[in-house]
Amino acid sequence: MADQDKSKEELIEEVLELRRKVTALETSLDGVHNVNDDAQAYNALKMEAVGRLAGGIAHDFNNILTAVQGNAELLQMDCFGQSERDDMLSQILHSSKRASELTRQLLDFARKGAFQIIAVDTVKVLERTVALLSHSVDKRIDIKLDMQADPAFALADPAKIEHAMVNLGMNACDAMPHGGTLTFTTKNVVLDDNARCEHTAELADGSYIEITVCDTGRGMDSTTCSQIFEPFFTTKEVGEGSGMGLASVYGCVKSHYGSIQVDSSPGQGTTFKLLLHAAEAACDPGDKPGALKMSKETGHILVVDDEGIVREFVSTALQTLGYSVSLCADGHEAVEYFTGHHQDIDLVILDLVMPVLNGPDTFKQLKAIDPNVKVLLSSGFTQNQTSSDLIAEGALGLLNKPFKISELTQALGRHLAN
Ligand SMILES: Nc1ncnc2c1ncn2[C@@H]1O[C@H](COP(=O)(O)OP(=O)(O)OP(=O)(O)O)[C@@H](O)[C@H]1O
Ligand SMILES: [Mg+2]
């Protein structure tokens, strides 16, 4: 129908319809614009978090290195008495311990920590947590246990879960500077499609142990709440908190395929709720392997590591213990040396992450030369798929860097004795 044939009403209706379409189009374009804005805001937040992570690591390690380097230089001056020298050495050891605690927390956050998942009695874990906290926090804080879960066994790494509970407990106590109540509660929860919320959307159906950590402290606003799991996020004064506590708790819970959620508002206290997979029955916590004897035996060890300082340390430690040592700075060098000397070598300590020829490929080539070669892996990452695969292919075990001399001797004693 031509326009001139249309009634006035029909033309008005067409114009209105066109207007509606234009409005709908504008709204959807607005939507597109908002999505872009959201993506940009998300990227900005992500970059801010990465910046905070890098800054936090640099800051903490620089402080630690200042203490290590400074005390080592003072020791080099050779003008102090024995007790002052002992103090300086203690400072170096203390700082190194802090550095390895920091890397452990970072690895927990990155979910690369070593795990030992067993059926754990959460009652025992929480009783130990409360015993520990009650010795160290303000006596005006009343710590309560409300154990409703029965059975109360969770599939977890007991040490990691206890560490997470202590972290949550310490934070709660810090938020109650004038006293208050801290309550740990456990419950049995069954998740199925009807019992889900946004925090449990990723969890598999099944039985869980819910652990709630609730305080009557100062609480948090929503901006703070949205940042608390980021590494190095802290509202505490410089030197009072590193901001790694909740980041490691978060990584730990996620490594257990569990969930963590927080509910808090200013002045209203805070509640953290964790869900962990339930287990049938507890393992005996006394099942730990006994302490290993130190070896008195000697032998010839080949140390393969691209880091000069690690080679130096391991070589000095091994020679002091009576072993003879050969050093190689990369996989190629090691394969070449091993080809000519494998009959004389009792054990190889092999770094996993090296340039040129990496640890796993070096391991395979050493095995090809001598199928009975004893190889102890070493790595700055705790046990992962690569090390597990190599152990399945015959490597003796993994030394986690930074390792102590006692850990080195125990491992050598165990493997050279056989
Ligand atoms: N229960 C709580 N009540 C109020 N604020 C809390 C609570 N738990 C955590 N927070 C806030 O979250 C921040 C981050 O906590 P997190 O444990 O990661 O680091 P931190 O306690 O500051 O330092 P640290 O590395 O020593 O644990 C805290 O600084 C605090 O502001
Ligand atoms: Mg903390």
Side-chain angles (χ1 to χ4, degrees), residues 292-304:
L292 292 152
K293 288 193 206 100
M294 241 179 74
S295 170
K296 295 271 180 286
E297 297 184 38
T298 53
H300 183 188
I301 318 282
L302 173 63
V303 179
V304 190

Side-chain angles (χ1 to χ4, degrees), residues 167-168 170-171 174 236 241-246:
N167 263 313
L168 293 170
M170 293 296 281
N171 281 347
D174 290 343
K236 292 175 185 166
S242 67
M244 280 306 296
L246 287 179

Side-chain angles (χ1 to χ4, degrees), residues 338 342 363 365-374 393-394:
F338 194 72
H342 65 93
F363 175 77
Q365 296 200 22
L366 297 181
K367 271 255 180 241
I369 299 166
D370 176 2
N372 298 318
V373 59
K374 290 184 171 178
E393 285 173 39

